Amino acid sequence: MKINILSLFPQYFEAFKNQSIIAKAQKLGHLEINIINFRNFSKEKHHKVDDTVYGGGDGMLLQVEPIHLALETVKDSYKILLSPQGRKFNQKIAHELAKHSKITLICGHYEGFDERILNFVDDEISIGDYILTGGEIPAMVISEAIARLAPGVIKKSSHQNESFENDGLLDYPQYTKPANYLGYKVPEVLLNGNHKEIEKWRKEQAYLKTYKNRKDIIERIKNEN
């Protein structure tokens, strides 16, 4: 899988590219992350990429031309504009995007984009209903979420039992040694070696945790069924 990221701040991604699963996946050849500074595609003096808003208003908008010209270099990829107006990202969308061999993420900044940029992209995605300074953090979130689903990046069994996978519920509680810490004990069912009972307990606990922390997920699952 190849992920292109269009950003005015390539330095944001240095640590991200060179740590943990992302670094390992690149080293093994399962993942390539390519950072493109779309300021380099500006035809304006001093490589300007933003300008005032037609009709008036505060702030500056990113111009359509430098982003369009940058996108021309990655035409064979699935192109995603990161913005608060996009569909809200979730694990289902992560699986959907992971099917593409090449993806391009476009990071915004300032007051947003010239609307005409939408004519040159395939999708528009938001990571949540809140405001960030730019699209760099959303790009990292989406990159990691889809990269870890790519073949060879992590064991398939490792992510199949995580939150939002399979039945869509949150993950069940998990424990490790010691079995008793300051009186807080590991549930007895996990210590008896009965895998059938353990599996039943985990399913029940996943539902209970989801009901307690995210009732919206329970409602969504009911509506889907």
Side-chain angles (χ1 to χ4, degrees), residues 57-208:
D58 295 329
M60 307 283 277
L61 283 184
L62 289 170
Q63 298 171 307
V64 61
E65 184 178 49
I67 294 178
H68 172 232
L69 294 177
L71 289 174
E72 285 290 288
T73 67
V74 291
K75 286 195 292 186
D76 60 342
S77 65
Y78 187 76
K79 298 172 284 296
I80 303 167
L81 188 68
L82 303 174
S83 83
Q85 289 81 38
R87 57 182 180 142
K88 192 180 294 185
F89 187 68
N90 57 29
Q91 192 66 11
K92 182 178 179 180
I93 294 176
H95 278 281
E96 174 189 321
L97 297 180
K99 295 176 183 177
H100 296 276
S101 60
K102 296 179 182 179
I103 289 175
T104 296
L105 302 171
I106 308 161
C107 303
H109 220 73
Y110 310 121
E111 287 299 311
F113 300 92
D114 184 310
E115 189 76 5
R116 291 170 291 183
I117 291 172
L118 291 173
N119 295 295
F120 306 105
V121 302
D122 304 300
D123 205 343
E124 190 174 9
I125 289 178
S126 166
I127 64 166
D129 297 336
Y130 43 84
I131 304 300
L132 298 174
T133 302
E136 283 72 25
I137 290 176
M140 294 181 201
V141 168
I142 293 174
S143 293
E144 179 163 337
I146 62 177
R148 62 199 310 281
L149 297 175
V153 174
I154 63 173
K155 292 180 180 178
K156 191 174 181 180
S157 58
S158 295
H159 61 71
Q160 282 182 331
N161 293 319
E162 293 177 325
S163 295
F164 310 115
E165 294 287 1
N166 291 330
D167 50 16
L169 300 175
L170 299 182
D171 200 2
Y172 48 78
Q174 299 188 76
Y175 303 86
T176 188
K177 296 175 182 178
N180 185 340
Y181 181 72
L182 301 179
Y184 296 99
K185 298 179 180 180
V186 174
E188 190 65 31
V189 65
L190 301 177
L191 306 176
N192 64 20
N194 187 325
H195 294 291
K196 186 175 180 180
E197 287 297 315
I198 290 172
E199 184 65 21
K200 179 183 177 182
W201 179 88
R202 285 175 169 172
K203 288 181 178 179
E204 291 172 349
Q205 291 299 312
Y207 182 88
L208 291 173

